[in-house]
Amino acid sequence: MRVLVIEDDEELADAVATGLRRARMAVDVAFDGPSGLDRAMANGYDVIVLDRDLPGLHGDEVCARLIAAHCRSRVLMLTAAATTEDLVDGLGIGADDYLPKPFDFPVLTARIGALARRAHPAVPPVLRHGDIVVDTARRRAHRGDRPLELAPKEFGVLELLLASKGRTVSAEELLDRVWDEAADPFTKTVKVTISRLRAKLGDPPVIETIAKSGYRI
């Protein structure tokens, strides 16, 4: 899944981003309201982790503008205030969830995962195709009795292809859903990742290249 963290405390933002990347998420970071809003409008994030007290543009206004623009990203609002009134206000302006600071990181990760599942059509917790099994919750994959040691991007590509149920997925969609904004769209990063994934999956091959369209299982 792809996540945007908008948080002006750079140390906290970097720590959150690092933790989420270890959980195999593609993460971008913004440190103020205006730059966060620009990124949110330009990219198809599954979840936006939004601090409420932001410089330049308050988190409430960022959220309101996203709602007005019909942004499909789910918004998890963070705030140092934890009163019932703050909770009601945060949800009232359109946030999908609300988490007071300080928070337990496993709770943050679990809530982001829950919101991401709502951002797209429901995906079963376990994806299967023939003898390939992908446990999306535990981030594990097997082919037959053989565990697959996949890098985060390889796992993300396999998960997206399986969840697409035979639909052809373009390289552009793979970049948008699996990589962060640092990915260069003019490189062969998707092609290279697909090649490595095919090698790890072994025979018989299951990933088909559709000329000028993308890839499918």
Side-chain angles (χ1 to χ4, degrees):
M1 67 190 75
R2 191 170 180 188
V3 179
L4 173 63
V5 177
I6 310 177
E7 166 62 62
D8 65 315
D9 183 332
E10 295 190 18
E11 184 176 351
L12 175 60
D14 289 339
V16 169
T18 298
L20 296 179
R21 287 173 184 139
R22 286 174 180 165
R24 304 185 180 225
M25 302 181 194
V27 185
D28 297 327
V29 178
F31 300 116
D32 59 60
S35 63
L37 180 62
D38 288 344
R39 281 181 169 84
M41 292 290 196
N43 299 292
Y45 295 102
D46 298 301
V47 178
I48 298 172
V49 180
L50 175 63
D51 183 37
R52 195 170 187 187
D53 298 313
L54 290 170
L57 190 66
H58 195 274
D60 289 1
E61 182 63 22
V62 172
C63 186
R65 294 191 188 186
L66 292 174
I67 298 300
H70 304 290
C71 177
R72 293 188 176 184
S73 303
R74 301 294 182 176
V75 176
L76 171 59
M77 188 167 282
L78 301 178
T79 181
T83 67
T84 300
E85 182 179 356
D86 293 314
L87 170 61
V88 172
D89 288 345
L91 296 176
I93 62 173
D96 297 282
D97 200 358
Y98 185 98
L99 190 62
K101 300 176 183 177
F103 50 82
D104 291 328
F105 194 82
V107 174
L108 174 66
T109 304
R111 290 194 175 186
I112 289 173
L115 289 176
R117 288 191 291 272
R118 291 165 51 192
H120 299 283
V123 174
V126 177
L127 298 169
R128 301 176 186 273
H129 178 84
D131 60 351
I132 298 173
V133 179
V134 173
D135 186 329
T136 62
R138 294 181 174 85
R139 314 303 291 176
R140 297 173 184 168
H142 289 76
R143 183 160 197 181
D145 295 329
R146 178 172 59 91
L148 299 172
E149 300 297 332
L150 303 179
K153 296 299 183 287
E154 295 164 358
F155 188 97
V157 168
L158 179 59
E159 180 182 8
L160 182 54
L161 291 177
L162 285 174
S164 298
K165 298 179 180 179
R167 175 178 66 87
T168 300
V169 181
S170 67
E172 291 78 11
E173 182 178 351
L174 286 168
L175 271 175
D176 185 58
R177 297 281 300 279
V178 179
W179 276 262
D180 58 29
E181 65 183 2
D184 185 347
F186 300 104
T187 65
K188 295 182 179 180
T189 185
V190 172
K191 185 176 181 180
V192 170
T193 301
I194 289 284
S195 178
R196 291 174 178 169
L197 179 57
R198 281 174 168 151
K200 291 183 179 181
L201 288 172
D203 293 322
V206 294
I207 300 177
E208 181 182 4
T209 299
I210 308 301
K212 299 182 180 180
S213 297
Y215 306 91
R216 72 182 179 193
I217 288 183

